Structures are given as C-alpha cells and as structure tokens.
Amino acid sequence: MLATDALLARGGKLAQLSEKTMTELNEFLPRHWSHGNPVDILGDAPPDRWERAVRCVAADPNNDGLLVVLAPQGMTDPLAVAHKLENFAHLRGKPVLASWMGGPMVEPGERALNIAGIPTFSFPDSAAGVFQSMWSYSENLQSLYETPALVEESGEGNAPGDVGAIITHARDRGRTLLTEAESKRVLAAYGIPVVETSVAATEDEAVAEAARIGYPVALKLHSETITHKTDVGGVRLNLRTPESVREAWQAIQGGVPAADFLGVAVQPMIKLEGYELILGSSIDSQFGPVILFGGGGQLVEVYKDRALALPPLNTTLARRLMEQTRIFTALGGVRGRKPVDLPALEHILVRFSRLVAEQRWIKEIDINPLLASPETLVALDARIVLHPPETREQDLPRLAIRPYPDQFVKPWVLEDGTEVLIRPIRPEDEPMLAR
C-alpha cells in the first residue's frame, strides 16, 4: 500500500494485468492471492514461486516496470529469493526495482541484488518515487527526439497588427483592461475559436441582437473597468424570451455603478456538454510570461488542477503541459465518453503561446472557460489585462526562451523567376530533411 500510494501521489498509475497474465497467475498461485495488481503471492511463497510470478508479470505488455517487495516472514529466505531475481536485472525496456524490508535480516539478499544490477530500497514508497523519476527522465529524453506538428497560422488577417491596434486603442485611453468583446477579437485574430459576441449599448439593441442570434442567449456586463463580471451579478444565462432579456439588462445595469456600465454583450447560449478548461498567462518576476493550463470553470480555485510552462510552445510541449494535469485523463475519454480532439487542443495552446510571445503589452490573459468536447473547442469567456500606461516598452518583461526569429523570414525570387520563402530552420522541418 505504501508503494501504491506513493506512485499515485506522483502521477503514476497501477498497471492493469492482462487476461493472459491473470490466467497464468491463477494456474500456480494459491487461490487466496490478491487477483490483481499489486500481486500478493502470500507469505509462505518459496523462492520458485517468486521467480515464476515475476517472470509472468514481466511478460505482460501492460506495465512499464516492476517493483518487487519482500517483507520477511518465518518461511521467507531473502537471499534465496534474491538469487532467483538476478535473471531479471536487465529486462529490455523494463526496470526492475526491489524493496527488501527488514534491515540486517535481509542485508545478504540486498547485496546479491545490487551485485546483479537490481537497485534496492529499504522502503517501497522510496522505490516508487525513484520509478517516477526514471519515467520523467525517459519522457524528457523522448521529447527531445519528437518532431512537433506544424501549426499553420490561422486567424483573421494580420494577427500581430490587428491585435496591436486593439491594444493601442485601449492604451491611448488610459485603460489597462480590455472588454470581453475586445478580448475575444484578440483571440480570434490568433485563430482561437470564440463564441459569437455582439455588444448592445441599449436595452432595445440587446433584444434585437438576441433575436438575430437566436434564443436562448446569454447577457454579460460590458465594462471597461470591471474584471470579474460574475462577482457583481453581471452574467445572466439561458434567456429565452425578449422579456427575460429586458429583465436581465435591467438587473445587470442596476448591479453596478453607472460609470462602469457600457451595455451588455449578447451571446448564443452554449450547452456545457464537455469539460471546462482554463488557459492563461501571467508574469513571473524571474521567468517573464508563464502559461497556465488546467481544469477551469467557477471552481478553478477550489480544484487547483493546473500546470505551468514557458512560451513559446510547440505541439510536443503543449501535450506535455496537458499531461501534467488530472483533467487530461478525462480529455482522452472516460466511462464511455468520446475523447476530445487533443491535436486540435494542442494547436490552440500553440497559437495561444504565440499570442503571449508576440503581444508584450499583455500583462495577464485568461480564457475561462475554454469548453472542450468531442464536437467543439471554443472560448466562452476571456479577460485581458494590460501593463500600466506608465510602463516603458524597454521595461516590458521578456520571454525566458527566445521565440522563433520571424525577423529573418523573407520572400525571395530565384534567377529563373521562382518565388521562394527563406527562413531559419524549425523543428517541424525534420521530416523534410530526413527524406
């Protein structure tokens, strides 16, 4: 149990024994064995039973490694069992660790295992921690050789220029907070799907926009000063009639000071049939912009299921970021649910990291929730905070990792008139070089 708890606490999981392995174990183990993983071969096990059980489990393709735990009892011979395990010291692709508990009583067995090349630990939870460290090291090495998928630039027009104009417009008015509508225009410019949003400055405009979009709709406070709309009652959902739209308008308007109320944003009501994620970025004093990904929604601060990464990202780094969260398992499909389109989600993370890297005037940006389902990926809400107006451009935080040098990309015409694009090499070019 110590090893199991330690493994799960560090993000690992117990391997599911295959039917073939279960059948083979049932053939020679006592009927009261554990019938699952961990495999308890019972305290009266002779050395041959230990060897046969390890050989059987080691052949199972469902596991990535083995931990053999021995707690000596009256009939246990720690040294003899150790000698039986020596043949498993160098399994290809599967580390074998051992925890021989018992101090001086098991010392000869530990010595035999170490000489054979099997590391031993006094406590099984320590061994589980080492296994996780080995797995992380292997994953990091593997990621160095993975070729990221090329993410084509997708969006509306010239993303850096269009977003720069939105930010400049806000800064010229002394604002540090973009409205939700402006924030979604920023996301859309970088190819991040957003829910349709229309701004209504009057009650009648809100009713007209709701009719155009189609009921049911959602109304949200449109303000240049209020960051969290839910906290002030600035969100009304599932409105199905013109009357309910008018009532929602009046309730939102009456819940905030007149100076903070500029109207409402009208959106189609999106069914929350999927997973609510959060994708954001803020400034770290040492590393500059840092990207956050995890479970989102109203309880984001309760569950605190999130992971961090440094931009810019490629698809491989995006997948590694997602894999660090608990919700990633659900995104892959659980309990009969279809999986989310993970490659498409990777592309959204890559485009988001490009936004963070290129728009240095952005201090904070949150997409919460980013709705992820088998059918769609869409940003339902967004918040962007800019650096204070007195900030000088040379004082803006810099990326810890230098981004791709776009300044060296330029078109060229060959002597025969062929138009080509000259640019620095990228990791995504590896398949073309390997031809």
Side-chain angles (χ1 to χ4, degrees):
M1 293 303 294
L2 286 174
T4 300
D5 291 344
L7 180 69
L8 297 177
R10 290 171 170 82
K13 62 180 180 180
L14 291 176
Q16 183 72 34
L17 298 177
S18 67
E19 292 186 9
K20 179 183 178 182
T21 301
M22 291 290 292
T23 300
E24 293 179 1
L25 291 174
N26 282 327
E27 290 176 354
F28 66 89
L29 291 181
R31 64 173 184 166
H32 295 300
W33 77 282
S34 59
H35 294 277
N37 186 18
V39 179
D40 184 355
I41 63 175
L42 304 185
D44 63 347
D48 287 342
R49 189 191 298 170
W50 282 87
E51 179 186 22
R52 192 172 178 184
V54 172
R55 187 179 306 280
C56 179
V57 175
D60 193 323
N62 290 348
N63 63 68
D64 298 316
L66 284 75
L67 170 60
V68 184
V69 181
L70 182 144
Q73 301 182 32
M75 302 176 64
T76 306
D77 186 342
L79 179 59
V81 173
H83 285 314
K84 289 292 185 179
L85 298 186
E86 291 173 350
N87 294 330
F88 304 101
H90 303 291
L91 291 179
R92 185 176 179 83
K94 284 191 179 182
V96 176
L97 309 180
S99 177
W100 253 226
M101 297 189 293
M105 292 177 55
V106 300
E107 194 170 310
E110 285 186 307
R111 190 179 307 113
L113 290 170
N114 294 156
I115 293 174
I118 296 178
T120 57
F121 303 86
S122 299
F123 301 100
D125 52 338
S126 301
V130 169
F131 178 79
Q132 280 300 100
S133 296
M134 295 170 64
W135 176 84
S136 297
Y137 177 72
S138 175
E139 281 287 289
N140 291 336
L141 284 181
Q142 182 180 350
S143 66
L144 292 176
Y145 294 96
E146 287 188 11
T147 302
L150 179 62
V151 178
E152 298 291 344
E153 294 185 5
S154 176
E156 302 171 359
N158 174 25
D162 295 344
V163 172
I166 295 173
I167 292 175
T168 299
H169 176 78
R171 294 186 65 247
D172 287 346
R173 286 161 174 74
R175 292 163 47 200
T176 58
L177 177 67
L178 298 188
T179 66
E180 181 182 351
E182 290 172 328
S183 298
K184 288 180 176 175
R185 285 169 54 198
V186 169
L187 298 179
Y190 277 87
I192 299 172
V194 298
V195 64
E196 179 185 357
T197 301
S198 299
V199 175
T202 67
E203 186 176 323
D204 290 337
E205 287 183 13
V207 173
E209 286 299 316
R212 183 187 64 81
I213 292 174
Y215 291 99
V217 298
L219 258 62
K220 298 181 180 179
L221 172 66
H222 179 60
S223 174
E224 296 179 348
T225 54
I226 296 179
T227 304
H228 299 288
K229 299 179 288 293
T230 304
D231 294 345
V232 295
V235 179
R236 292 291 187 273
L237 305 176
N238 206 30
L239 307 175
R240 298 180 175 275
T241 64
E243 291 74 20
S244 62
V245 171
R246 294 185 183 278
E247 291 175 1
W249 168 282
Q250 295 165 9
I252 294 173
Q253 184 181 34
V256 297
D260 296 327
F261 182 80
L262 300 179
V264 298
V266 186
Q267 302 172 1
M269 193 66 199
I270 304 296
K271 293 182 179 179
L272 295 179
E273 295 179 353
Y275 302 100
E276 291 183 288
L277 308 176
I278 184 172
L279 180 57
S281 175
S282 59
I283 304 299
D284 180 84
S285 59
Q286 294 183 346
F287 295 102
V290 177
I291 291 178
L292 175 145
F293 173 85
Q298 292 184 353
L299 299 180
V300 61
E301 295 298 334
V302 176
Y303 294 123
K304 296 183 178 180
D305 175 27
R306 54 203 177 201
L308 302 175
L310 296 175
L313 301 178
N314 56 31
T315 53
T316 298
L317 296 176
R319 176 64 67 99
R320 293 289 178 266
L321 173 61
M322 294 190 293
E323 288 174 346
Q324 297 177 53
T325 62
R326 296 191 299 273
I327 200 170
F328 178 76
T329 302
L331 297 177
V334 292
R335 295 192 175 183
R337 292 188 178 186
K338 295 181 180 179
V340 169
D341 188 344
L342 292 176
L345 185 55
E346 291 172 8
H347 286 205
I348 288 178
L349 265 66
V350 172
R351 292 181 182 128
F352 182 81
S353 78
R354 179 177 164 231
L355 162 61
V356 171
E358 292 181 348
Q359 302 299 333
R360 296 177 58 207
W361 284 106
I362 293 179
K363 181 181 180 182
E364 298 176 21
I365 176 171
D366 292 325
I367 304 174
N368 184 26
L370 172 65
L371 183 63
S373 72
E375 295 78 23
T376 186
L377 294 165
V378 61
L380 299 186
D381 204 351
R383 182 181 71 98
I384 295 179
V385 179
L386 307 178
H387 287 282
E390 63 273 13
T391 305
R392 300 181 303 171
E393 186 169 1
Q394 59 266 34
D395 295 331
L396 292 174
R398 297 184 180 275
L399 297 176
I401 301 173
R402 292 185 66 87
Y404 181 78
D406 287 303
Q407 65 270 26
F408 298 125
V409 178
K410 63 179 180 179
W412 192 262
V413 180
L414 302 180
E415 291 183 355
D416 62 359
T418 303
E419 295 182 356
V420 297
L421 184 70
I422 299 178
R423 61 169 175 77
I425 195 170
R426 295 184 296 202
E428 294 87 348
D429 296 327
E430 187 267 343
M432 292 186 290
L433 294 175
R435 290 176 183 173

